[in-house]
Amino acid sequence: MALAVPPRLLAATVGVAVAAGFLATPSGGAVEPTGAGASNEAVATPDTERLLEPTPGAQGIGDRYWPLDGNGGIDVQHYDIVDSYDFDSGTLSGTTTLRVRATQALSSFQLDFLLPVSSVSVDGVEAVHDRPHRHELRIAPATPLVRGERFELVVEYAGKPGPIRYARERNWAADSDEVVTMNEPHMAPWWFPSNDHPTDKARYDITITGPATHQTISNGLLVDRVVDGDQATTHWRATDPMVAYLAFFALGRYDVEQGVSQGLPWYVAVSQELPDAQRHRAMTSLKRSPAVTAWLDKRLGAYPFESTGGVAPSINVGFALENQTRPTYSGSSATHLPTIVHELAHQWFGDSVSVRRWRDIWLNEGFATFMEAAYAEKHGGRSAQQWLRAQYDSRRGDASFWRLDLADPGRRHIFDEAVYLRGGMALQALRHRIGNRDFWKALQGWVEERQYGNGSVKAFRRHVEQVSRTDLDRFFRVWLTAPRAPAVTRPNGLR
Ligand SMILES: [Zn+2]
């Protein structure tokens, strides 16, 4: 994500309230109580048997920044999202089919979703569902699920995403003629039921129906577009693993250009609602995406996905976002080359290698910001070390810039400027400290070994220490967690 100000879409009134236990069921039917442990404790069951005994999946995946995000006991492998959007009423309706693997024996499990649900089935059999919290859809299959079992889950829903708030976010960005589903760390629950956490990646088919006068742009490759009367249905497919918040669609009147560059398909789209001059500038600049992708590919190792490109909607949400294969640039960010470098660098740092927990956000934003400086260095700008020293000198006396713990910034601060800028500076300092060769070897090894997986700040430190055969404990503490500016020394990468 690259921010304009203000940083978030909208402030909201509602915080996260973790619902405990079983609540009345607004959508009918009783689900068995969650009373975890009660029956287990009554009988002295050996651990192996306990694993086989069906229990409810946890309501969160275990990320303390957003305890309801993700879910326990399930691993989604594929989403087939079929949605249609009605601009007049602001209603989104659809059916999502999920192919899921049970990672434990399950009597019930949950998904993250905010729209009203009309029916749920598991392997073709209707399943009881309820909402223990408005962010959670709890599903009790007619027959408990065995650990390791693969099943097909179908969820039907309809509702108005516009007014819905969750975790201080109101994410639906739409006007009377255009909609774009972009945000981080949450977006999926506004338009499809998901296991909404970076640690559960899946492949996607995304099919959107809207006015035939409009285009739908989404992730991956365009499969087909079928026009039926005044409606068009457009099908996109993301064949590489993807995190739920990086799935998106934009529906509006768009100019589209596409091609293949060095074997890699690219697809860029610019809203026709933008003023003419901006529209043409945005298209010219987005068409540099394949060349920027190719440069990053040389620096970081093979581009991890099946296509590249970008989208410039007319709706300005105040930031650009690294939606997988197709970053989305709102406002003037599409014409700002450093932002294009930033969002495409995220394809490696954030999209292919995703955070393990949201506290690891430095691995996304610090790295994408550093790549802006590395790109400038090779394209007529100052050296990244000059950039580091200039930033350091101008920020040295700014106590608040150095106070934030970049290895655990807190959920309200994951998009603070320090995460980006100090985070990027820390990487250039690291490069200066361990040398160019080991530094790029470390980055390339990191994205290669963890392709389509996850990483933590701690694991990155260990990885770099191994590659450079250097104890970097103090370096990482000084740059990431110490609440003050690092001293200008050689070990701190500043001399
Ligand atoms: Zn970013």
mmCIF file of all heavy atoms in Angstrom, residues 1-2 184 320 322 342-343 346 364-365 368-369 420, ligand 1:
data_model
loop_
_atom_site.group_PDB
_atom_site.id
_atom_site.type_symbol
_atom_site.label_atom_id
_atom_site.label_comp_id
_atom_site.label_asym_id
_atom_site.label_seq_id
_atom_site.Cartn_x
_atom_site.Cartn_y
_atom_site.Cartn_z
ATOM 1 N N MET A 1 0.850 -1.189 0.000
ATOM 2 C CA MET A 1 0.000 0.000 0.000
ATOM 3 C C MET A 1 0.881 1.233 0.000
ATOM 4 O O MET A 1 1.909 1.259 0.653
ATOM 5 C CB MET A 1 -0.884 -0.014 1.250
ATOM 6 C CG MET A 1 -1.783 1.190 1.378
ATOM 7 S SD MET A 1 -2.735 1.168 2.906
ATOM 8 C CE MET A 1 -4.112 0.127 2.462
ATOM 9 N N ALA A 2 0.521 2.219 -0.762
ATOM 10 C CA ALA A 2 1.207 3.510 -0.698
ATOM 11 C C ALA A 2 0.162 4.542 -0.353
ATOM 12 O O ALA A 2 -0.904 4.601 -0.961
ATOM 13 C CB ALA A 2 1.870 3.835 -2.026
ATOM 14 N N GLU A 184 -6.630 -2.776 2.705
ATOM 15 C CA GLU A 184 -5.745 -3.601 3.503
ATOM 16 C C GLU A 184 -5.832 -3.072 4.928
ATOM 17 O O GLU A 184 -5.874 -1.843 5.083
ATOM 18 C CB GLU A 184 -4.302 -3.461 2.988
ATOM 19 C CG GLU A 184 -3.291 -4.315 3.713
ATOM 20 C CD GLU A 184 -1.846 -3.975 3.322
ATOM 21 O OE1 GLU A 184 -1.641 -2.999 2.582
ATOM 22 O OE2 GLU A 184 -0.946 -4.660 3.781
ATOM 23 N N ALA A 320 -2.766 3.773 -2.947
ATOM 24 C CA ALA A 320 -2.627 2.751 -3.984
ATOM 25 C C ALA A 320 -2.426 1.427 -3.271
ATOM 26 O O ALA A 320 -1.886 1.392 -2.162
ATOM 27 C CB ALA A 320 -1.428 3.062 -4.873
ATOM 28 N N GLU A 322 -1.400 -2.911 -3.621
ATOM 29 C CA GLU A 322 -0.675 -3.921 -4.399
ATOM 30 C C GLU A 322 -1.516 -5.139 -4.749
ATOM 31 O O GLU A 322 -1.009 -6.269 -4.700
ATOM 32 C CB GLU A 322 0.567 -4.351 -3.617
ATOM 33 C CG GLU A 322 0.297 -4.985 -2.229
ATOM 34 C CD GLU A 322 0.323 -4.009 -1.061
ATOM 35 O OE1 GLU A 322 0.080 -2.808 -1.286
ATOM 36 O OE2 GLU A 322 0.571 -4.437 0.076
ATOM 37 N N HIS A 342 6.820 0.888 -6.156
ATOM 38 C CA HIS A 342 6.446 0.420 -4.811
ATOM 39 C C HIS A 342 5.421 -0.716 -4.890
ATOM 40 O O HIS A 342 5.616 -1.782 -4.304
ATOM 41 C CB HIS A 342 5.881 1.620 -4.032
ATOM 42 C CG HIS A 342 5.455 1.317 -2.633
ATOM 43 N ND1 HIS A 342 6.158 1.727 -1.522
ATOM 44 C CD2 HIS A 342 4.380 0.655 -2.148
ATOM 45 C CE1 HIS A 342 5.545 1.312 -0.429
ATOM 46 N NE2 HIS A 342 4.447 0.662 -0.785
ATOM 47 N N GLU A 343 4.346 -0.502 -5.631
ATOM 48 C CA GLU A 343 3.274 -1.513 -5.680
ATOM 49 C C GLU A 343 3.727 -2.781 -6.399
ATOM 50 O O GLU A 343 3.334 -3.892 -6.022
ATOM 51 C CB GLU A 343 2.017 -0.954 -6.340
ATOM 52 C CG GLU A 343 1.443 0.317 -5.711
ATOM 53 C CD GLU A 343 1.236 0.229 -4.207
ATOM 54 O OE1 GLU A 343 1.091 -0.885 -3.665
ATOM 55 O OE2 GLU A 343 1.242 1.295 -3.555
ATOM 56 N N HIS A 346 5.842 -4.862 -4.176
ATOM 57 C CA HIS A 346 5.005 -5.635 -3.249
ATOM 58 C C HIS A 346 4.618 -7.003 -3.808
ATOM 59 O O HIS A 346 4.230 -7.895 -3.057
ATOM 60 C CB HIS A 346 3.699 -4.891 -2.958
ATOM 61 C CG HIS A 346 3.767 -3.936 -1.811
ATOM 62 N ND1 HIS A 346 4.253 -4.290 -0.574
ATOM 63 C CD2 HIS A 346 3.373 -2.640 -1.701
ATOM 64 C CE1 HIS A 346 4.147 -3.240 0.253
ATOM 65 N NE2 HIS A 346 3.627 -2.229 -0.406
ATOM 66 N N ASN A 364 6.565 -5.867 4.392
ATOM 67 C CA ASN A 364 5.874 -5.353 3.195
ATOM 68 C C ASN A 364 6.326 -3.927 2.887
ATOM 69 O O ASN A 364 6.866 -3.640 1.830
ATOM 70 C CB ASN A 364 4.354 -5.315 3.406
ATOM 71 C CG ASN A 364 3.720 -6.691 3.466
ATOM 72 O OD1 ASN A 364 4.401 -7.700 3.561
ATOM 73 N ND2 ASN A 364 2.398 -6.725 3.421
ATOM 74 N N GLU A 365 6.063 -3.030 3.830
ATOM 75 C CA GLU A 365 6.173 -1.598 3.503
ATOM 76 C C GLU A 365 7.611 -1.080 3.507
ATOM 77 O O GLU A 365 7.982 -0.256 2.671
ATOM 78 C CB GLU A 365 5.291 -0.779 4.442
ATOM 79 C CG GLU A 365 3.801 -1.153 4.368
ATOM 80 C CD GLU A 365 3.221 -1.103 2.964
ATOM 81 O OE1 GLU A 365 3.851 -0.527 2.067
ATOM 82 O OE2 GLU A 365 2.135 -1.682 2.751
ATOM 83 N N ALA A 368 9.104 -2.445 0.127
ATOM 84 C CA ALA A 368 8.617 -1.755 -1.082
ATOM 85 C C ALA A 368 9.181 -0.337 -1.145
ATOM 86 O O ALA A 368 9.510 0.163 -2.223
ATOM 87 C CB ALA A 368 7.088 -1.739 -1.091
ATOM 88 N N THR A 369 9.322 0.321 0.010
ATOM 89 C CA THR A 369 9.875 1.680 0.034
ATOM 90 C C THR A 369 11.360 1.652 -0.322
ATOM 91 O O THR A 369 11.847 2.500 -1.095
ATOM 92 C CB THR A 369 9.662 2.316 1.424
ATOM 93 O OG1 THR A 369 8.261 2.279 1.724
ATOM 94 C CG2 THR A 369 10.160 3.745 1.458
ATOM 95 N N TYR A 420 7.144 2.712 6.761
ATOM 96 C CA TYR A 420 7.578 2.819 5.369
ATOM 97 C C TYR A 420 9.007 3.366 5.287
ATOM 98 O O TYR A 420 9.918 2.701 4.794
ATOM 99 C CB TYR A 420 6.655 3.779 4.605
ATOM 100 C CG TYR A 420 5.277 3.245 4.353
ATOM 101 C CD1 TYR A 420 4.359 3.081 5.389
ATOM 102 C CD2 TYR A 420 4.863 2.910 3.069
ATOM 103 C CE1 TYR A 420 3.085 2.600 5.142
ATOM 104 C CE2 TYR A 420 3.587 2.432 2.822
ATOM 105 C CZ TYR A 420 2.702 2.276 3.855
ATOM 106 O OH TYR A 420 1.446 1.785 3.610
HETATM 107 ZN ZN ZN B 1 3.081 -0.395 0.289
#
